[in-house]
């Protein structure tokens, strides 16, 4: 597990680097976490309650960009429980469960997966995406999917 220290944490993943979280996760708490780079992050959870980017408190902030996130989990766990999280230019492989409010996914590539926007995940935005063999299930409210290429 990675616990974000006060006042926050910036991680840059070098091109080609591979961060295997296994059953671990990022504990953002009420701090700020920014991850970017050209590497890969993978996780493999057997527990549906484990969340890759876990936050609590009043003002956790999460920004993730320009990495590949690979879900090797058989469990239907959430990518994050942090509201107002921002993901940009991320490649997602493996199923993605969106469980928090006002998350923005901009310019992301979604490959060979199911996107499940859970009930209670309101105001989700998937903008400028590429869906390659993707299925979307939306139980949220006010979901916006725009400027998307599907093949």
């Amino acid at each position: 597990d990675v616990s974000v220290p006060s006042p926050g944490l910036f991680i840059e993943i070098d091109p080609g680097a591979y961060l295997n979280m296994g059953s671990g996760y990022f504990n953002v708490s009420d701090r700020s976490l920014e991850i970017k780079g050209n590497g890969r992050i993978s996780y493999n959870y057997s527990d549906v309650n484990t969340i890759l980017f876990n936050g609590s408190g009043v003002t956790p902030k999460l920004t993730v960009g320009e990495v590949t996130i690979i879900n090797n989990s058989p469990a239907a766990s959430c990518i994050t429980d942090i509201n107002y999280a921002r993901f940009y230019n991320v490649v997602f492989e493996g199923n993605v469960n969106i469980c928090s409010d006002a998350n923005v996914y901009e310019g992301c590539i979604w490959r060979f997966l199911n996107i499940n926007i859970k009930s209670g995940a309101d105001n989700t935005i998937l903008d400028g995406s590429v869906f390659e063999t993707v299925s979307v299930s939306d139980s949220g409210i006010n979901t916006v999917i725009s400027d998307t290429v599907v093949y």
Side-chain angles (χ1 to χ4, degrees), residues 72-116:
N72 294 316
S73 302
S77 56
C78 296
I79 188 88
T80 185
D81 62 353
I82 299 172
N83 294 335
Y84 304 101
R86 300 292 181 259
F87 295 84
Y88 65 94
N89 300 339
V90 172
V91 176
F92 289 97
E93 296 179 359
N95 295 334
V96 175
N97 291 312
I98 298 172
C99 303
S100 43
D101 290 340
N103 281 197
V104 175
Y105 298 82
E106 184 176 0
C108 295
I109 298 173
W110 309 78
R111 288 189 191 150
F112 313 111
L113 55 88
N114 296 315
I115 301 170
N116 186 12

Short mmCIF file of all heavy atoms in Angstrom, two decimals, residues 72-116:
data_model
loop_
_atom_site.label_atom_id
_atom_site.label_comp_id
_atom_site.label_asym_id
_atom_site.label_seq_id
_atom_site.Cartn_x
_atom_site.Cartn_y
_atom_site.Cartn_z
N ASN A 72 -6.27 -6.54 -13.39
CA ASN A 72 -6.21 -7.99 -13.54
C ASN A 72 -7.10 -8.69 -12.52
O ASN A 72 -6.95 -9.88 -12.29
CB ASN A 72 -4.76 -8.47 -13.36
CG ASN A 72 -3.86 -7.98 -14.46
OD1 ASN A 72 -4.23 -8.02 -15.63
ND2 ASN A 72 -2.68 -7.50 -14.11
N SER A 73 -8.02 -7.97 -11.91
CA SER A 73 -8.83 -8.48 -10.81
C SER A 73 -10.02 -9.28 -11.29
O SER A 73 -10.71 -8.86 -12.21
CB SER A 73 -9.37 -7.33 -9.96
OG SER A 73 -8.33 -6.55 -9.46
N PRO A 74 -10.32 -10.37 -10.57
CA PRO A 74 -11.61 -11.03 -10.81
C PRO A 74 -12.74 -10.31 -10.06
O PRO A 74 -13.90 -10.45 -10.41
CB PRO A 74 -11.39 -12.44 -10.24
CG PRO A 74 -10.34 -12.27 -9.20
CD PRO A 74 -9.46 -11.14 -9.67
N ALA A 75 -12.39 -9.50 -9.06
CA ALA A 75 -13.38 -8.78 -8.27
C ALA A 75 -13.81 -7.51 -8.99
O ALA A 75 -13.04 -6.89 -9.70
CB ALA A 75 -12.80 -8.43 -6.90
N ALA A 76 -15.05 -7.13 -8.77
CA ALA A 76 -15.60 -5.91 -9.38
C ALA A 76 -15.36 -4.73 -8.46
O ALA A 76 -16.29 -4.10 -7.97
CB ALA A 76 -17.08 -6.10 -9.66
N SER A 77 -14.11 -4.41 -8.22
CA SER A 77 -13.76 -3.31 -7.32
C SER A 77 -13.77 -1.99 -8.08
O SER A 77 -13.74 -1.97 -9.31
CB SER A 77 -12.39 -3.56 -6.70
OG SER A 77 -11.43 -3.74 -7.71
N CYS A 78 -13.78 -0.89 -7.34
CA CYS A 78 -13.85 0.45 -7.93
C CYS A 78 -12.45 0.99 -8.22
O CYS A 78 -11.50 0.71 -7.49
CB CYS A 78 -14.58 1.40 -6.99
SG CYS A 78 -16.29 0.92 -6.73
N ILE A 79 -12.35 1.83 -9.25
CA ILE A 79 -11.08 2.49 -9.55
C ILE A 79 -10.76 3.54 -8.48
O ILE A 79 -9.64 3.70 -8.08
CB ILE A 79 -11.07 3.09 -10.98
CG1 ILE A 79 -9.69 3.59 -11.37
CG2 ILE A 79 -12.07 4.20 -11.14
CD1 ILE A 79 -8.83 2.58 -11.99
N THR A 80 -11.79 4.28 -8.02
CA THR A 80 -11.59 5.27 -6.96
C THR A 80 -12.90 5.54 -6.25
O THR A 80 -13.98 5.34 -6.81
CB THR A 80 -11.02 6.59 -7.52
OG1 THR A 80 -10.75 7.47 -6.43
CG2 THR A 80 -11.96 7.26 -8.48
N ASP A 81 -12.78 6.00 -5.02
CA ASP A 81 -13.96 6.48 -4.28
C ASP A 81 -13.82 7.98 -4.00
O ASP A 81 -14.47 8.53 -3.14
CB ASP A 81 -14.16 5.70 -2.98
CG ASP A 81 -13.00 5.85 -2.01
OD1 ASP A 81 -11.96 6.44 -2.38
OD2 ASP A 81 -13.10 5.36 -0.88
N ILE A 82 -12.94 8.63 -4.75
CA ILE A 82 -12.65 10.05 -4.56
C ILE A 82 -13.50 10.88 -5.53
O ILE A 82 -13.42 10.69 -6.75
CB ILE A 82 -11.15 10.35 -4.78
CG1 ILE A 82 -10.32 9.57 -3.75
CG2 ILE A 82 -10.87 11.84 -4.71
CD1 ILE A 82 -8.83 9.64 -3.99
N ASN A 83 -14.30 11.79 -5.00
CA ASN A 83 -15.08 12.69 -5.85
C ASN A 83 -14.17 13.72 -6.50
O ASN A 83 -13.15 14.12 -5.94
CB ASN A 83 -16.15 13.39 -5.02
CG ASN A 83 -17.20 12.44 -4.49
OD1 ASN A 83 -17.43 11.37 -5.06
ND2 ASN A 83 -17.84 12.80 -3.40
N TYR A 84 -14.55 14.15 -7.68
CA TYR A 84 -13.84 15.17 -8.46
C TYR A 84 -12.45 14.71 -8.93
O TYR A 84 -11.58 15.53 -9.16
CB TYR A 84 -13.73 16.50 -7.68
CG TYR A 84 -15.07 17.01 -7.24
CD1 TYR A 84 -15.51 16.83 -5.94
CD2 TYR A 84 -15.92 17.63 -8.15
CE1 TYR A 84 -16.76 17.27 -5.54
CE2 TYR A 84 -17.18 18.06 -7.76
CZ TYR A 84 -17.59 17.89 -6.45
OH TYR A 84 -18.83 18.31 -6.07
N ALA A 85 -12.26 13.41 -9.06
CA ALA A 85 -10.99 12.89 -9.58
C ALA A 85 -10.91 13.19 -11.08
O ALA A 85 -11.92 13.25 -11.78
CB ALA A 85 -10.88 11.39 -9.34
N ARG A 86 -9.67 13.37 -11.56
CA ARG A 86 -9.42 13.67 -12.97
C ARG A 86 -8.46 12.65 -13.55
O ARG A 86 -7.39 12.40 -12.99
CB ARG A 86 -8.81 15.07 -13.13
CG ARG A 86 -9.68 16.20 -12.61
CD ARG A 86 -10.92 16.33 -13.50
NE ARG A 86 -11.80 17.40 -13.07
CZ ARG A 86 -12.92 17.23 -12.38
NH1 ARG A 86 -13.26 16.03 -11.98
NH2 ARG A 86 -13.69 18.23 -12.06
N PHE A 87 -8.86 12.04 -14.66
CA PHE A 87 -8.02 11.12 -15.41
C PHE A 87 -7.90 11.67 -16.82
O PHE A 87 -8.91 11.99 -17.44
CB PHE A 87 -8.66 9.72 -15.46
CG PHE A 87 -8.78 9.05 -14.12
CD1 PHE A 87 -9.84 9.33 -13.27
CD2 PHE A 87 -7.83 8.13 -13.71
CE1 PHE A 87 -9.96 8.71 -12.04
CE2 PHE A 87 -7.93 7.51 -12.48
CZ PHE A 87 -9.00 7.79 -11.64
N TYR A 88 -6.67 11.80 -17.33
CA TYR A 88 -6.50 12.31 -18.68
C TYR A 88 -5.44 11.48 -19.40
O TYR A 88 -4.43 11.08 -18.83
CB TYR A 88 -6.13 13.80 -18.69
CG TYR A 88 -4.78 14.10 -18.06
CD1 TYR A 88 -3.63 14.19 -18.86
CD2 TYR A 88 -4.64 14.28 -16.69
CE1 TYR A 88 -2.39 14.45 -18.29
CE2 TYR A 88 -3.41 14.53 -16.13
CZ TYR A 88 -2.29 14.61 -16.93
OH TYR A 88 -1.07 14.85 -16.36
N ASN A 89 -5.71 11.19 -20.68
CA ASN A 89 -4.81 10.43 -21.54
C ASN A 89 -4.36 9.12 -20.88
O ASN A 89 -3.20 8.74 -20.98
CB ASN A 89 -3.59 11.27 -21.93
CG ASN A 89 -3.97 12.51 -22.68
OD1 ASN A 89 -5.05 12.60 -23.26
ND2 ASN A 89 -3.12 13.51 -22.67
N VAL A 90 -5.28 8.45 -20.21
CA VAL A 90 -5.00 7.17 -19.56
C VAL A 90 -5.50 6.06 -20.47
O VAL A 90 -6.57 6.17 -21.06
CB VAL A 90 -5.68 7.08 -18.18
CG1 VAL A 90 -5.56 5.69 -17.58
CG2 VAL A 90 -5.10 8.11 -17.23
N VAL A 91 -4.73 4.99 -20.56
CA VAL A 91 -5.17 3.77 -21.25
C VAL A 91 -5.64 2.81 -20.17
O VAL A 91 -4.90 2.49 -19.24
CB VAL A 91 -4.03 3.14 -22.07
CG1 VAL A 91 -4.49 1.83 -22.70
CG2 VAL A 91 -3.53 4.10 -23.14
N PHE A 92 -6.90 2.38 -20.26
CA PHE A 92 -7.46 1.44 -19.30
C PHE A 92 -7.58 0.07 -19.97
O PHE A 92 -8.12 -0.04 -21.07
CB PHE A 92 -8.86 1.87 -18.84
CG PHE A 92 -8.87 3.07 -17.94
CD1 PHE A 92 -9.11 4.34 -18.44
CD2 PHE A 92 -8.64 2.92 -16.58
CE1 PHE A 92 -9.13 5.44 -17.62
CE2 PHE A 92 -8.65 4.02 -15.74
CZ PHE A 92 -8.89 5.29 -16.26
N GLU A 93 -7.07 -0.95 -19.28
CA GLU A 93 -7.22 -2.33 -19.74
C GLU A 93 -7.78 -3.14 -18.58
O GLU A 93 -7.31 -3.03 -17.46
CB GLU A 93 -5.88 -2.90 -20.19
CG GLU A 93 -5.31 -2.19 -21.39
CD GLU A 93 -3.96 -2.73 -21.83
OE1 GLU A 93 -3.43 -3.65 -21.19
OE2 GLU A 93 -3.43 -2.21 -22.83
N GLY A 94 -8.80 -3.93 -18.84
CA GLY A 94 -9.50 -4.65 -17.77
C GLY A 94 -10.69 -3.83 -17.33
O GLY A 94 -10.78 -2.64 -17.59
N ASN A 95 -11.63 -4.46 -16.67
CA ASN A 95 -12.88 -3.80 -16.29
C ASN A 95 -12.64 -2.60 -15.38
O ASN A 95 -11.73 -2.62 -14.55
CB ASN A 95 -13.80 -4.79 -15.60
CG ASN A 95 -14.23 -5.89 -16.54
OD1 ASN A 95 -14.28 -5.70 -17.75
ND2 ASN A 95 -14.54 -7.04 -15.99
N VAL A 96 -13.47 -1.58 -15.56
CA VAL A 96 -13.38 -0.37 -14.75
C VAL A 96 -14.74 -0.10 -14.13
O VAL A 96 -15.75 0.00 -14.84
CB VAL A 96 -12.93 0.85 -15.58
CG1 VAL A 96 -12.97 2.11 -14.75
CG2 VAL A 96 -11.55 0.63 -16.17
N ASN A 97 -14.78 -0.01 -12.81
CA ASN A 97 -15.99 0.37 -12.09
C ASN A 97 -15.81 1.79 -11.56
O ASN A 97 -14.88 2.06 -10.81
CB ASN A 97 -16.26 -0.60 -10.93
CG ASN A 97 -16.66 -1.96 -11.44
OD1 ASN A 97 -17.51 -2.07 -12.30
ND2 ASN A 97 -16.04 -2.99 -10.91
N ILE A 98 -16.70 2.67 -11.98
CA ILE A 98 -16.67 4.06 -11.56
C ILE A 98 -17.68 4.22 -10.44
O ILE A 98 -18.87 3.94 -10.63
CB ILE A 98 -16.97 5.00 -12.74
CG1 ILE A 98 -15.90 4.82 -13.82
CG2 ILE A 98 -17.07 6.45 -12.27
CD1 ILE A 98 -16.18 5.53 -15.12
N CYS A 99 -17.22 4.66 -9.26
CA CYS A 99 -18.07 4.64 -8.07
C CYS A 99 -18.18 5.98 -7.36
O CYS A 99 -18.79 6.06 -6.29
CB CYS A 99 -17.52 3.60 -7.07
SG CYS A 99 -17.40 1.95 -7.77
N SER A 100 -17.60 7.03 -7.88
CA SER A 100 -17.61 8.30 -7.16
C SER A 100 -18.17 9.41 -8.05
O SER A 100 -18.29 9.25 -9.26
CB SER A 100 -16.21 8.64 -6.65
OG SER A 100 -15.25 8.37 -7.63
N ASP A 101 -18.49 10.53 -7.42
CA ASP A 101 -19.15 11.63 -8.11
C ASP A 101 -18.16 12.54 -8.85
O ASP A 101 -17.04 12.75 -8.40
CB ASP A 101 -19.91 12.50 -7.11
CG ASP A 101 -21.13 11.80 -6.55
OD1 ASP A 101 -21.60 10.84 -7.17
OD2 ASP A 101 -21.61 12.22 -5.48
N ALA A 102 -18.67 13.10 -9.94
CA ALA A 102 -17.99 14.17 -10.67
C ALA A 102 -16.58 13.79 -11.10
O ALA A 102 -15.68 14.61 -11.06
CB ALA A 102 -17.99 15.46 -9.86
N ASN A 103 -16.39 12.54 -11.52
CA ASN A 103 -15.11 12.13 -12.08
C ASN A 103 -15.08 12.47 -13.56
O ASN A 103 -16.08 12.33 -14.26
CB ASN A 103 -14.89 10.63 -11.90
CG ASN A 103 -14.44 10.24 -10.50
OD1 ASN A 103 -13.94 9.15 -10.31
ND2 ASN A 103 -14.59 11.10 -9.51
N VAL A 104 -13.92 12.93 -14.04
CA VAL A 104 -13.75 13.28 -15.44
C VAL A 104 -12.66 12.40 -16.03
O VAL A 104 -11.56 12.28 -15.47
CB VAL A 104 -13.35 14.77 -15.60
CG1 VAL A 104 -13.05 15.09 -17.05
CG2 VAL A 104 -14.45 15.67 -15.06
N TYR A 105 -12.98 11.76 -17.14
CA TYR A 105 -12.05 10.92 -17.88
C TYR A 105 -11.92 11.56 -19.26
O TYR A 105 -12.84 11.48 -20.07
CB TYR A 105 -12.58 9.49 -17.99
CG TYR A 105 -12.75 8.83 -16.64
CD1 TYR A 105 -13.89 9.06 -15.87
CD2 TYR A 105 -11.77 7.98 -16.15
CE1 TYR A 105 -14.04 8.46 -14.63
CE2 TYR A 105 -11.92 7.37 -14.91
CZ TYR A 105 -13.06 7.62 -14.15
OH TYR A 105 -13.21 7.02 -12.92
N GLU A 106 -10.79 12.22 -19.50
CA GLU A 106 -10.63 13.00 -20.73
C GLU A 106 -9.53 12.40 -21.60
O GLU A 106 -8.41 12.20 -21.14
CB GLU A 106 -10.29 14.45 -20.40
CG GLU A 106 -10.19 15.33 -21.60
CD GLU A 106 -9.94 16.78 -21.24
OE1 GLU A 106 -9.83 17.10 -20.05
OE2 GLU A 106 -9.84 17.58 -22.17
N GLY A 107 -9.86 12.13 -22.87
CA GLY A 107 -8.88 11.64 -23.83
C GLY A 107 -8.35 10.25 -23.49
O GLY A 107 -7.21 9.93 -23.82
N CYS A 108 -9.17 9.43 -22.85
CA CYS A 108 -8.72 8.10 -22.42
C CYS A 108 -9.01 7.05 -23.49
O CYS A 108 -9.93 7.19 -24.29
CB CYS A 108 -9.39 7.71 -21.11
SG CYS A 108 -8.91 8.77 -19.73
N ILE A 109 -8.23 6.00 -23.48
CA ILE A 109 -8.44 4.84 -24.34
C ILE A 109 -8.88 3.69 -23.44
O ILE A 109 -8.23 3.41 -22.43
CB ILE A 109 -7.15 4.48 -25.11
CG1 ILE A 109 -6.75 5.63 -26.03
CG2 ILE A 109 -7.35 3.18 -25.90
CD1 ILE A 109 -5.40 5.45 -26.70
N TRP A 110 -9.97 3.08 -23.81
CA TRP A 110 -10.55 1.97 -23.03
C TRP A 110 -10.50 0.74 -23.91
O TRP A 110 -11.14 0.71 -24.96
CB TRP A 110 -11.99 2.31 -22.67
CG TRP A 110 -12.17 3.66 -22.03
CD1 TRP A 110 -12.20 4.88 -22.68
CD2 TRP A 110 -12.34 3.94 -20.65
NE1 TRP A 110 -12.40 5.88 -21.76
CE2 TRP A 110 -12.48 5.34 -20.51
CE3 TRP A 110 -12.41 3.15 -19.50
CZ2 TRP A 110 -12.68 5.96 -19.29
CZ3 TRP A 110 -12.60 3.76 -18.27
CH2 TRP A 110 -12.74 5.15 -18.18
N ARG A 111 -9.75 -0.31 -23.48
CA ARG A 111 -9.55 -1.49 -24.32
C ARG A 111 -10.10 -2.75 -23.68
O ARG A 111 -9.75 -3.08 -22.55
CB ARG A 111 -8.06 -1.73 -24.54
CG ARG A 111 -7.38 -0.78 -25.43
CD ARG A 111 -5.99 -1.31 -25.68
NE ARG A 111 -5.19 -0.30 -26.34
CZ ARG A 111 -3.90 -0.19 -26.20
NH1 ARG A 111 -3.24 -1.02 -25.43
NH2 ARG A 111 -3.24 0.75 -26.84
N PHE A 112 -10.90 -3.49 -24.44
CA PHE A 112 -11.32 -4.84 -24.09
C PHE A 112 -11.85 -4.93 -22.67
O PHE A 112 -11.33 -5.69 -21.85
CB PHE A 112 -10.15 -5.83 -24.28
CG PHE A 112 -9.43 -5.66 -25.57
CD1 PHE A 112 -8.14 -5.18 -25.60
CD2 PHE A 112 -10.05 -5.96 -26.77
CE1 PHE A 112 -7.48 -5.00 -26.80
CE2 PHE A 112 -9.39 -5.79 -27.98
CZ PHE A 112 -8.10 -5.31 -27.99
N LEU A 113 -12.88 -4.15 -22.37
CA LEU A 113 -13.34 -4.11 -20.99
C LEU A 113 -14.80 -3.71 -20.90
O LEU A 113 -15.43 -3.33 -21.88
CB LEU A 113 -12.49 -3.14 -20.17
CG LEU A 113 -12.38 -1.69 -20.67
CD1 LEU A 113 -13.48 -0.81 -20.17
CD2 LEU A 113 -11.04 -1.14 -20.24
N ASN A 114 -15.30 -3.82 -19.68
CA ASN A 114 -16.62 -3.31 -19.33
C ASN A 114 -16.43 -2.10 -18.44
O ASN A 114 -15.67 -2.15 -17.48
CB ASN A 114 -17.42 -4.37 -18.58
CG ASN A 114 -17.70 -5.59 -19.41
OD1 ASN A 114 -18.07 -5.49 -20.57
ND2 ASN A 114 -17.50 -6.75 -18.83
N ILE A 115 -17.12 -1.02 -18.78
CA ILE A 115 -17.16 0.17 -17.93
C ILE A 115 -18.49 0.12 -17.21
O ILE A 115 -19.54 0.09 -17.84
CB ILE A 115 -17.04 1.46 -18.74
CG1 ILE A 115 -15.75 1.50 -19.54
CG2 ILE A 115 -17.15 2.68 -17.82
CD1 ILE A 115 -15.69 2.64 -20.55
N ASN A 116 -18.44 0.10 -15.89
CA ASN A 116 -19.65 0.04 -15.09
C ASN A 116 -19.72 1.30 -14.23
O ASN A 116 -18.95 1.46 -13.29
CB ASN A 116 -19.65 -1.21 -14.22
CG ASN A 116 -20.94 -1.39 -13.48
OD1 ASN A 116 -21.94 -0.73 -13.74
ND2 ASN A 116 -20.94 -2.31 -12.53
#
